[in-house]
Amino acid sequence: MDFFITGIQQIGVGTTNVYKSWKWYKEMFGTDIRILEDDTVAERMLPYTGGQKQKRHAAIAINLQGGGGFEIWQYSERKPKTIEFDLQIGDLGIFAAKLKATDIQAAHKSISSKWDKVSPIMKDPLGNETFYLSDIEGNYFQVVESKHILIDRGTPFGGMVGGMIGVTNMEESIRLYKDILGYGTVVYDKTGVFDDFKFMRGAEQQYRRVLLKWNQPERGAFSPLMEGGCVELVQALERTPRKLFEGRFWGDPGFIQICFDVTNMDALGKYCADNGYAFTVDSCPDGKVFNMGDASGRFTYIEDPDGTLIEFVETYRIAVAKRFNWYINLLKRNRQKPLPKLLFKAMKFNKVKFKD
């Protein structure tokens, strides 16, 4: 294949107040480095915004300890529509995001001292320690342990490393995530009632859980930051799951997409189309560059078998340290070669500060 995927770039989270949510993520998880911020009109997402261009305020923020970022997203002129039913495990879409911690015990102690919507430390299906929490808008997060640290900032938390995605046909979904996107290692395939689910609604029911892990070579500019990560597919066995964005728009509150960092979008597009997953959105069908805040590149979307949105981003230009007008053009370097650690360290100058 002429394209490659580096890993999970970010998970999008729709919110009713972008700065309120961002401040909370910064205080709880250390997500304080602004990659970009844009307050314009979303012109390319018409299939998912009611066929109309919608003004929105979006920001991508990361934690330099490593892991994918948060794309925090809010409608600017339309009132965000919240989910009208109680989300349960296995509902269709991203019903929980996976966040990494370098030390589960320290992470649990840290966040429990500041926030009360946190589960006890539990054991996952393999016996590894984990815990769950919900944020200020009720979004679920599972905290999983990873010893990978890009830049040690003295905090137990890192960035996004995956998501829990509700599906209706496990084998069909595995084909997409495992065989097409490269999450080819089956860490576990378990069926039953799971103790670690107890923090979330619907935990008393039976589910099939398949955890898929990235098994491709590490390559790409952002590979030191992004772990390949994992995708956990969850199928409800005792009820008919509901679509999390049923009757709502992309960008409304909740996890709106899982995004992968890619190189050679044209080749990826052909590969996806040949396998039955043609792009539903393409920001640059004419080959031009898409600008978003201080970054530029190209983004596309496909849908998984249940309509969950999967985004691909090919980054062309990004700010290393905006205050010094330091940008990097990724098209003028070896696309497979990782960026040096020095450049990631310089991103500390993009740290965001909020007024109390």
Side-chain angles (χ1 to χ4, degrees):
M1 295 180 289
D2 296 327
F3 69 90
F4 63 87
I5 296 175
T6 296
I8 294 172
Q9 186 193 89
Q10 41 91 354
I11 290 181
V13 55
T15 180
T16 58
N17 187 313
V18 66
Y19 283 131
K20 185 177 180 181
S21 292
W22 191 355
K23 182 180 179 182
W24 192 89
Y25 294 137
K26 175 180 179 288
E27 292 174 349
M28 298 295 167
F29 304 143
T31 310
D32 60 357
I33 303 299
R34 179 193 284 112
I35 296 299
L36 63 84
E37 188 170 356
D38 193 40
D39 190 2
T40 55
V41 176
E43 298 181 339
R44 310 299 203 277
M45 298 297 292
L46 300 185
Y48 306 112
T49 57
Q52 299 181 5
K53 298 177 181 179
Q54 302 280 355
K55 193 170 188 299
R56 57 87 174 99
H57 187 173
I60 294 180
I62 64 170
N63 181 329
L64 286 176
Q65 294 219 152
F70 289 65
E71 181 178 17
I72 309 163
W73 208 101
Q74 177 196 348
Y75 282 102
S76 301
E77 297 176 342
R78 170 184 172 271
K79 183 179 179 180
K81 185 177 181 181
T82 58
I83 191 169
E84 295 179 340
F85 57 90
D86 290 334
L87 178 155
Q88 294 189 62
I89 299 163
D91 279 337
L92 305 179
I94 305 163
F95 66 87
K98 290 178 180 280
L99 189 73
K100 81 170 190 174
T102 55
D103 183 317
I104 285 288
Q105 296 284 343
H108 189 267
K109 182 178 180 180
S110 171
I111 198 164
S112 296
S113 68
K114 299 178 284 190
W115 186 246
D116 61 356
K117 296 182 176 62
V118 183
S119 80
I121 293 176
M122 312 289 284
K123 294 292 183 68
D124 73 6
L126 291 182
N128 299 313
E129 290 187 332
T130 186
F131 67 92
Y132 294 77
L133 61 108
S134 59
D135 68 9
I136 54 175
E137 299 219 2
N139 298 303
Y140 289 130
F141 290 83
Q142 181 194 20
V143 182
V144 298
E145 192 164 85
S146 168
K147 297 301 185 184
H148 169 267
I149 298 177
L150 175 58
I151 298 170
D152 191 348
R153 305 178 69 208
T155 172
F157 284 102
M160 297 284 199
V161 290
M164 288 185 167
I165 301 173
V167 305
T168 56
N169 184 319
M170 184 62 76
E171 304 310 323
E172 187 177 1
S173 296
I174 287 174
R175 176 178 171 268
L176 169 61
Y177 292 98
K178 179 175 182 284
D179 300 337
I180 298 177
L181 298 186
Y183 284 75
T185 298
V186 179
V187 179
Y188 57 71
D189 183 345
K190 303 283 188 179
T191 298
V193 177
F194 297 95
D195 285 344
D196 69 308
F197 273 174
K198 287 182 179 179
F199 182 76
M200 299 184 288
R201 297 186 194 91
E204 71 284 354
Q205 300 170 26
Q206 291 211 31
Y207 298 93
R208 181 181 175 191
R209 300 172 63 173
V210 178
L211 181 64
L212 303 174
K213 187 177 180 180
W214 183 250
N215 69 344
Q216 301 298 307
E218 289 189 5
R219 51 183 171 170
F222 301 108
S223 56
L225 176 70
M226 301 170 194
E227 298 175 65
C230 58
V231 174
E232 184 163 4
L233 307 177
V234 181
Q235 183 175 355
L237 302 177
E238 296 184 22
R239 63 182 178 85
T240 300
R242 300 187 64 170
K243 287 183 175 289
L244 294 176
F245 281 85
E246 179 182 301
R248 301 193 299 143
F249 290 172
W250 170 84
D252 279 330
F255 295 116
I256 59 179
Q257 85 255 331
I258 185 168
C259 174
F260 299 94
D261 184 85
V262 307
T263 297
N264 197 343
M265 191 73 79
D266 285 335
L268 173 63
K270 183 179 185 306
Y271 185 74
C272 286
D274 289 347
N275 284 277
Y277 292 95
F279 291 160
T280 59
V281 169
D282 187 343
S283 67
C284 306
D286 52 6
K288 295 181 180 179
V289 173
F290 179 81
N291 294 302
M292 184 175 175
D294 296 309
S296 67
R298 179 181 178 187
F299 70 82
T300 61
Y301 280 78
I302 63 172
E303 296 181 11
D304 85 354
D306 295 290
T308 299
L309 291 181
I310 297 169
E311 182 182 17
F312 303 114
V313 170
E314 185 168 18
T315 304
Y316 300 155
R317 180 176 183 266
I318 193 170
V320 176
K322 183 180 177 181
R323 71 167 70 174
F324 303 117
N325 200 32
W326 185 2
Y327 292 80
I328 185 167
N329 186 335
L330 298 170
L331 297 177
K332 294 182 178 180
R333 66 187 307 277
N334 182 340
R335 304 295 300 282
Q336 297 202 39
K337 186 177 180 180
L339 288 171
K341 192 172 181 179
L342 172 65
L343 294 187
F344 292 105
K345 286 183 176 180
M347 289 182 181
K348 67 182 181 181
F349 294 109
N350 298 331
K351 185 174 180 179
V352 66
K353 296 181 180 180
F354 296 106
K355 295 179 180 179
D356 293 330

